[in-house]
Amino acid sequence: MNKELAIDMLAAVKKPARYTGGEFGSIFKEEAEVRIALAFPDVYEVGMSYLGFKILYHLVNKMEGIAAERAYAPWIDMEQLMRERNIVLTTLETKKALCECDLVGFTLQYELSYTNILNMLDLGGVSVLAAERGDEEPFVVVGGPCVFNPEPLADVIDFAILGEGEEALPEVLTCYRNWKREGKPGGRQEFLHRAVQIPGVYVPSFYNVTYNEDFTIQAVTPNTPDAPATVTKRVVADLNKVDFPTAPVVPFGEIVHDRIMLEMFRGCSRGCRFCHAGMVYRPVRERRPEVLRELAHKQVDNTGYEEISLVSLSTADYSCLGPFLDTMIADFKDRKVSVSLPSLRIDAFSVDVAKKVQAVRKSGLTFAPEAGSQRMRDVINKGVTEEDLLHAVSAAFANGWKKVKLYFMIGLPGETDEDVLAIAQLAKKVQWKFKEITGKGGCQVTISASSFVPKPYTAFQWAPQDTLEEIRRKQGLLIEATRVKNITFQYHDGKTSIMEGIFARGDRRLGKALYLAWQRGQRFDGWADVFDFERWQQALQDCGLEPGFYNHRVRGDHEVFPWEHLQPAVNRAFLASEYKKAKQGLLTADCRQGRCNGCGVCQRLGVPVIDWSGRAYDASKEKGFAPLAEKMAGGDNQSYSAATQRPGLPKEGGEAE
């Protein structure tokens, strides 16, 4: 594309900075033996906020002769111009078309981004269907949280990497480089046969799926000796020993999370029964405070950002958060760099933390009770009470806050109308608590209620999802119940939740509907102003698929799921036990606060749960956390191994041996 044409196109679209490249911190490798396009299936502002690509971009570009470049989905206006003028989608760094790269890697963050994957491949000159790709076309690889059920994309992708990519992706790229140096013997199939032998790599074409008469899965079996019967995720045992980007790309324009993102730890052991991330990212592994401090200083020096966000699935659970936060605030106070947390735990300690990070300006507090009634909070194993919330907001109001945002879900398994209305009642109690503390009104409470979507590898993977009619009825209940001054109710159209649910637990048969919907114009399905529910319903119908089969039926106790050959190492018996306990309203304690609950992850992966407050996890139901060995306290976690401390696997029923 010549310069004049580029300027003409940029002048005709919204937010042209999405497409220019050349940002501070970009890495250019004109000459590279292997080139991978890290392609995010959404717009630049969303993709540039994704920490995973920042990490992989940094790590891959440190490899000799291998380049990682970035590509994002062009918005509707730019796509129209590109198709009118036959302009291909290129990377931002060297302007290589996607079809000129050796590999194109997508992250599966959200099921409703799948049509964008097809669209980006087509715009980049890559055959959309894997079976139609020639020997000179790039391999399409996917990763991310949704990779634990990539079956709806089985016709599109060449292979997937399960779990964390810091070690796995360099191994795949090295394998590809060796194959390329040999002259690519045996064509595409030969490389796939080599790649599938790397732990964590899944090649859908190497597996056959058979169905029962009722269209449930009968079996998923390898069709080649090279492919394992099950593929287990990759996990980084010690986050302190892997490189973390300290000079990330700094965008020209504003992005969704326009700040430094400092990853405190990975995994979560709280065990919320609806939470997919909380299961597939286990075990918990913390970075040492001194490592985090060094990373923070380098990023501030290299980027010029004035905010550091401490990120993880549950940042308030970091074992050294209090003293670490004090250190960070002291370190950066004179440099006018603030420290922020994305979410707070519902307790007084969180308010104390908020006082520290919002010392200058109290912008409001956000809590996530998830359910309005205590019964439902017990069902989902949230582990907090109404008293906890009211105590937290009381502390907040006493310290000057008067804005609170509360996150909830509706449509949870076993929910009644009383449980739904309890959301509004809880918001009113928060307002009353403000008046009790301050003696005046004016407390602003915002309720955000999303629609529950059952996910694979959660206790609710067997549960039905509410119908669209039921979602709207429950939303109507809350609309009426929250017609109160200074209470704002926010919710999303349930149609997107229905489609998310279909693809979250879908099988390979959905691939035809996905392809057909894309051909008919579907893209950016996560954007309400673009999403077309009726077009999706027609595509499913035309492919002979019943939407209710995927998200409105109760799955059988012994039903084979489409994703079970892809393992995050969570024991199915443990999940079944949790589902049973949910129906009984029974709680399961956080294993980091007591004994092992038998999820199986620590034992199967041989990776210990470690924090840095002076404790290490002994994966046995008798011991739970125990004092660290002297060497361990010095920062060498190689002195402790859950695999040697606890070799046994959980028995059926979820309890450890």
Side-chain angles (χ1 to χ4, degrees):
M1 181 168 57
N2 63 52
K3 186 176 181 179
E4 290 74 17
L5 180 59
I7 294 173
D8 176 51
M9 292 179 68
L10 290 174
V13 300
K14 297 178 181 178
K15 301 186 178 180
R18 290 170 168 167
Y19 312 106
T20 59
E23 309 99 317
F24 180 76
S26 299
I27 301 172
F28 298 88
K29 287 187 174 181
E30 289 291 347
E31 301 297 326
E33 201 174 350
V34 177
R35 197 176 304 274
I36 180 172
L38 298 177
F40 194 91
D42 211 317
V43 292
Y44 176 90
E45 302 94 282
V46 177
M48 275 291 289
S49 301
Y50 175 47
L51 181 59
F53 268 11
K54 295 177 189 287
I55 294 172
L56 296 179
Y57 182 82
H58 167 74
L59 287 173
V60 172
N61 278 315
K62 291 185 68 176
M63 299 177 69
E64 187 67 32
I66 300 180
E69 305 189 14
R70 297 166 297 137
Y72 303 95
W75 186 246
I76 306 298
D77 53 359
M78 177 59 87
E79 181 194 343
Q80 183 177 347
L81 288 175
M82 292 171 68
R83 293 197 181 278
E84 289 174 354
R85 305 183 186 190
N86 294 317
I87 303 298
V88 295
L89 179 61
T90 66
T91 63
L92 291 181
E93 278 73 12
T94 62
K95 309 302 179 185
K96 297 283 187 184
L98 296 191
C99 61
E100 297 178 289
C101 297
D102 295 288
L103 302 97
V104 180
F106 290 95
T107 179
L108 306 185
Q109 287 287 309
Y110 181 37
E111 292 85 354
L112 295 190
S113 69
Y114 290 176
T115 50
N116 278 5
I117 293 176
L118 277 61
N119 203 45
M120 290 177 72
L121 290 172
D122 186 60
L123 286 169
V126 181
S127 298
V128 172
L129 298 177
E132 296 178 358
R133 285 184 203 123
D135 285 345
E136 298 307 312
E137 292 193 73
F139 287 90
V140 176
V141 54
V142 295
C146 296
V147 80
F148 290 98
N149 182 25
E151 294 301 278
L153 286 166
D155 294 338
V156 176
I157 65 176
D158 290 300
F159 64 99
I161 298 176
L162 272 66
E164 295 162 358
E166 285 99 331
E167 296 167 346
L169 182 58
E171 290 174 19
V172 168
L173 295 174
T174 299
C175 177
Y176 180 90
R177 178 171 58 187
N178 293 339
W179 175 70
K180 187 175 183 180
R181 285 176 176 176
E182 295 171 19
K184 298 183 178 180
R188 298 178 69 84
Q189 286 298 304
E190 171 64 20
F191 171 70
L192 291 175
H193 277 279
R194 295 187 186 190
V196 79
Q197 297 177 57
I198 298 172
V201 171
Y202 168 56
V203 180
S205 62
F206 288 174
Y207 295 79
N208 295 332
V209 180
T210 54
Y211 298 88
N212 297 309
E213 290 185 2
D214 61 358
F215 298 111
T216 57
I217 302 294
Q218 184 180 76
V220 180
T221 54
N223 56 36
T224 172
D226 291 334
T230 59
V231 182
T232 302
K233 74 174 182 181
R234 294 292 294 272
V235 62
V236 175
D238 187 353
L239 294 180
N240 298 286
K241 294 184 177 180
V242 294
D243 213 348
F244 189 83
T246 55
V249 179
V250 180
F252 290 134
E254 186 176 354
I255 60 176
V256 175
H257 300 300
D258 203 9
R259 60 187 73 95
I260 291 170
M261 288 189 285
L262 189 63
E263 185 185 34
M264 309 281 285
F265 65 93
R266 289 186 192 165
C268 179
S269 56
R270 286 190 165 261
C272 296
R273 293 176 178 134
F274 59 84
C275 185
H276 179 254
M279 288 298 165
V280 302
Y281 285 127
R282 292 185 176 200
V284 173
R285 290 143 294 145
E286 294 187 349
R287 280 193 170 92
R288 292 197 299 269
E290 62 269 24
V291 172
L292 291 168
R293 187 180 181 189
E294 181 181 359
L295 292 173
H297 277 273
K298 288 181 178 178
Q299 289 196 73
V300 170
D301 292 342
N302 292 332
T303 65
Y305 275 121
E306 296 179 343
E307 181 182 352
I308 302 170
S309 180
L310 308 180
V311 299
S312 71
L313 289 178
S314 181
T315 302
D317 287 332
Y318 183 63
S319 61
C320 306
L321 183 61
F324 176 71
L325 200 55
D326 291 337
T327 299
M328 290 285 287
I329 292 171
D331 280 358
F332 296 105
K333 182 179 181 180
D334 293 340
R335 300 180 68 174
K336 307 299 183 184
V337 176
S338 63
V339 181
S340 66
L341 282 74
S343 62
L344 292 173
R345 205 166 57 209
I346 300 178
D347 56 25
F349 169 72
S350 292
V351 176
D352 183 57
V353 169
K355 286 167 61 178
K356 296 176 181 178
V357 300
Q358 296 189 24
V360 177
R361 180 175 62 88
K362 292 178 171 57
S363 58
L365 294 179
T366 299
F367 297 105
E370 306 294 0
S373 68
Q374 190 59 48
R375 187 185 76 85
M376 284 310 302
R377 285 192 291 273
D378 291 346
V379 166
I380 64 177
N381 201 47
K382 185 62 182 175
V384 297
T385 65
E386 181 177 299
E387 183 181 0
D388 292 330
L389 176 63
L390 295 180
H391 183 57
V393 297
S394 295
F397 297 151
N399 284 280
W401 275 273
K402 61 179 181 179
K403 292 183 180 180
V404 175
K405 187 167 187 176
L406 305 175
Y407 281 106
F408 297 94
M409 284 184 289
I410 58 173
L412 289 161
E415 182 181 71
T416 66
D417 286 357
E418 288 73 20
D419 297 316
V420 174
L421 292 172
I423 293 174
Q425 293 166 5
L426 190 57
K428 294 172 184 177
K429 289 178 181 178
V430 169
Q431 282 192 321
W432 296 334
K433 183 60 68 173
F434 179 83
K435 189 169 184 179
E436 177 185 314
I437 296 295
T438 67
K440 55 186 177 182
C443 173
Q444 299 178 34
V445 180
T446 300
I447 300 170
S448 179
S450 61
S451 299
F452 167 69
V453 177
K455 297 282 185 172
Y457 292 113
T458 68
F460 293 146
Q461 63 181 350
W462 287 272
Q465 182 181 6
D466 273 359
T467 64
L468 180 60
E469 293 72 25
E470 184 68 357
I471 290 171
R472 287 176 168 172
R473 188 187 70 80
K474 290 178 178 178
Q475 288 173 340
L477 290 175
L478 280 175
I479 289 172
E480 289 300 317
T482 55
R483 296 187 187 279
V484 177
K485 185 178 180 181
N486 291 328
I487 292 183
T488 302
F489 175 47
Q490 299 175 342
Y491 62 97
H492 299 287
D493 190 345
K495 292 178 179 178
T496 55
S497 298
I498 294 296
M499 288 309 306
E500 180 184 346
I502 289 172
F503 277 91
R505 295 187 292 173
D507 53 38
R508 292 189 180 189
R509 297 182 302 137
L510 281 172
K512 292 181 179 179
L514 174 65
Y515 188 82
L516 184 59
W518 165 71
Q519 283 186 315
R520 293 175 176 176
Q522 286 300 112
R523 65 263 288 123
F524 288 105
D525 292 303
W527 296 71
D529 53 341
V530 180
F531 178 73
D532 189 328
F533 185 65
E534 285 67 33
R535 184 183 285 161
W536 267 113
Q537 295 299 294
Q538 189 63 51
L540 291 167
Q541 180 180 325
D542 291 347
C543 292
L545 300 175
E546 171 54 47
F549 172 83
Y550 293 105
N551 57 1
H552 298 323
R553 67 182 177 89
V554 178
R555 282 159 169 71
D557 291 343
H558 304 291
E559 180 175 334
V560 177
F561 297 137
W563 53 83
E564 287 192 284
H565 57 300
L566 308 174
Q567 282 291 326
V570 176
N571 184 20
R572 175 171 172 143
F574 166 75
L575 296 176
S577 174
E578 286 297 291
Y579 190 33
K580 182 179 180 180
K581 290 171 75 173
K583 294 176 180 179
Q584 298 170 338
L586 299 177
L587 294 173
T588 298
D590 183 339
C591 66
R592 290 206 292 165
Q593 306 302 321
R595 72 175 195 173
C596 174
N597 291 316
C599 77
V601 173
C602 296
Q603 297 91 340
R604 292 181 179 184
L605 297 178
V607 175
V609 176
I610 293 173
D611 72 19
W612 299 100
S613 63
R615 304 181 303 166
Y617 187 67
D618 184 344
S620 68
K621 63 181 182 180
E622 295 85 6
K623 294 184 179 179
F625 264 110
L628 289 163
E630 183 176 351
K631 187 177 181 182
M632 182 67 185
D636 180 7
N637 74 2
Q638 297 306 304
S639 65
Y640 177 84
S641 170
T644 57
Q645 293 280 349
R646 184 61 182 168
L649 294 179
K651 295 179 180 178
E652 289 296 308
E655 291 296 328
E657 293 180 336

